[in-house]
Amino acid sequence: MVYSSKRKSLYHIRSISLPSRSHPTTFRIEEKLHKLKKWEASATTTTAEEICNGLLGLNELYKCLDELLNLPLTQKSLSLRQHKGWIDESLDISVTLLDVCSITRDFTSQVKEHVKDLLSTIRRKKGDSKIQNSVAKYVRFRKEMKKVAKKLNANVKQIDNRIPSLPLIEELDNRHALALIRVLREVSSINISVYNLVLLFLSEPISKPNSKTWSKLLDQCREAFEEQEDNRNELQRVDVALNNMWKCGGSSELREKMKIAQNGLEQLESSMESFESSLECLFKGLIKARTSLLNIVSL
């Protein structure tokens, strides 16, 4: 499966130009959107640091969005019957965004647990068979994670295709309502861009297990990236480090390779903790935005 880390825009994004007299939040949300668009345009790799930057920016954006949706002027503008269809569609999209966020967060937590298990085994030097079992377990999980990431990406793509079809009421006299609708569209679009990079990170290729010798578990991964060391993300570095650890020669070399693998696993554990925390915040932000929209519908 091939993902694009730089999602092509399917529609022309205009300047939002929210009415300045509404609230200082209108300025902040424009700034957050502009910053995230710059991040999206420059997102050409899938390192944990880059993805975390996108997640942090998205969380800040949702904080501003929550403030904006709870302004009296916003609630009055969007509560009109003519906006009901658009808000209903936005609520449907929010359900899928929540599902993807929740499942992705759970997977990052599971990656972290598998990494902890590997670290514990290597640190205690429990023996070749123990390390073999831990790595085999890790590889099996990576394969399953890749399958689920593929399904999630299909769900995200469906949302991406729906966003441009959502009607914008160009003839609307209420400038604030029109700007708010554009904001919600752009927030969903940026959200999908961040999801795409997270899913790309989690679905990096893993080699197929070989029943004859566990040292071949990661051969394909090693060969694919041995000439691209600078471009490897944290998952890929761990793959190669584990493979090199087992294929090395004498005991002194093994200790060196084990240390490299341990460092890579520690970095990956830290990255997964950041992912998990950021996705948890994002999930809460999505819940708040959905609740605010539901409150507007009930007015």
Side-chain angles (χ1 to χ4, degrees):
M1 178 181 58
V2 177
Y3 296 91
S4 172
S5 61
K6 185 182 292 186
R7 192 174 57 83
K8 293 182 180 179
S9 179
L10 297 178
Y11 56 94
H12 179 66
I13 298 177
R14 305 185 188 185
S15 174
I16 297 170
S17 299
L18 287 166
S20 59
R21 65 179 180 278
S22 300
H23 196 273
T25 304
T26 60
F27 292 107
R28 294 204 302 273
I29 202 165
E30 283 190 304
E31 291 174 354
K32 301 299 181 185
L33 277 168
H34 178 68
K35 184 176 180 180
L36 276 167
K37 287 176 189 176
K38 288 181 63 178
W39 169 86
E40 179 185 17
S42 62
T44 57
T45 62
T46 54
T47 62
E49 181 180 4
E50 182 167 334
I51 296 171
C52 282
N53 287 338
L55 286 169
L56 289 173
L58 195 57
N59 283 323
E60 291 298 316
L61 177 61
Y62 269 97
K63 290 178 183 178
C64 293
L65 179 63
D66 185 57
E67 292 183 36
L68 188 63
L69 290 175
N70 283 285
L71 292 176
L73 176 59
T74 297
Q75 295 176 349
K76 180 179 179 181
S77 298
L78 292 183
S79 63
L80 300 176
R81 180 176 296 275
Q82 65 194 107
H83 304 314
K84 185 178 184 304
W86 198 96
I87 294 179
D88 287 345
E89 184 73 8
S90 296
L91 287 169
D92 288 342
I93 288 176
S94 72
V95 172
T96 303
L97 292 175
L98 278 166
D99 287 343
V100 174
C101 183
S102 177
I103 296 171
T104 305
R105 176 195 56 189
D106 292 344
F107 263 111
T108 59
S109 177
Q110 292 177 58
V111 172
K112 186 178 69 175
E113 293 307 312
H114 280 277
V115 168
K116 284 183 176 180
D117 181 60
L118 272 170
L119 275 171
S120 176
T121 303
I122 292 175
R123 286 167 178 163
R124 296 176 184 178
K125 298 182 176 64
K126 292 183 177 180
D128 294 349
S129 63
K130 291 289 186 179
I131 297 176
Q132 174 182 349
N133 291 336
S134 293
V135 173
K137 183 179 178 182
Y138 173 77
V139 171
R140 287 194 296 270
F141 171 73
R142 285 280 315 276
K143 290 177 64 181
E144 180 61 29
M145 181 174 65
K146 181 179 178 180
K147 292 179 182 178
V148 175
K150 182 177 180 179
K151 293 179 181 179
L152 292 178
N153 187 69
N155 293 338
V156 169
K157 188 174 181 179
Q158 289 179 355
I159 303 175
D160 206 11
N161 292 334
R162 286 169 64 183
I163 291 176
S165 65
L166 298 181
L168 274 179
I169 310 171
E170 299 289 354
E171 68 277 8
L172 186 65
D173 292 334
N174 190 332
R175 180 168 169 254
H176 188 77
L178 181 58
L180 287 166
I181 290 173
R182 289 198 177 109
V183 165
L184 291 171
R185 285 180 62 163
E186 293 197 37
V187 169
S188 295
S189 180
I190 289 291
N191 197 329
I192 290 168
S193 294
V194 177
Y195 278 174
N196 280 337
L197 274 184
V198 174
L199 294 173
L200 175 59
F201 183 95
L202 295 177
S203 63
E204 290 295 353
I206 185 74
S207 65
K208 297 180 180 179
N210 185 301
S211 58
K212 294 182 180 180
T213 168
W214 81 275
S215 66
K216 294 183 179 180
L217 284 170
L218 299 169
D219 277 349
Q220 294 178 8
C221 184
R222 177 184 59 80
E223 293 169 1
F225 300 113
E226 63 184 357
E227 296 181 355
Q228 304 177 40
E229 184 171 359
D230 292 339
N231 295 324
R232 295 173 188 158
N233 66 31
E234 288 78 359
L235 276 172
Q236 294 165 346
R237 290 171 191 157
V238 166
D239 290 344
V240 175
L242 291 175
N243 182 73
N244 290 340
M245 180 183 70
W246 197 251
K247 292 179 73 67
C248 67
S251 58
S252 61
E253 184 181 2
L254 175 60
R255 287 194 295 271
E256 179 185 351
K257 298 300 183 183
M258 287 180 69
K259 182 62 177 178
I260 293 174
Q262 182 177 331
N263 290 339
L265 287 165
E266 289 172 350
Q267 291 176 9
L268 181 58
E269 180 183 15
S270 176
S271 297
M272 290 301 100
E273 287 178 350
S274 297
F275 274 27
E276 186 179 18
S277 176
S278 297
L279 287 166
E280 176 64 26
C281 291
L282 178 57
F283 186 81
K284 293 178 180 178
L286 287 164
I287 288 288
K288 286 184 178 181
R290 178 174 171 78
T291 300
S292 296
L293 285 174
L294 287 169
N295 290 337
I296 290 172
V297 171
S298 65
L299 291 177

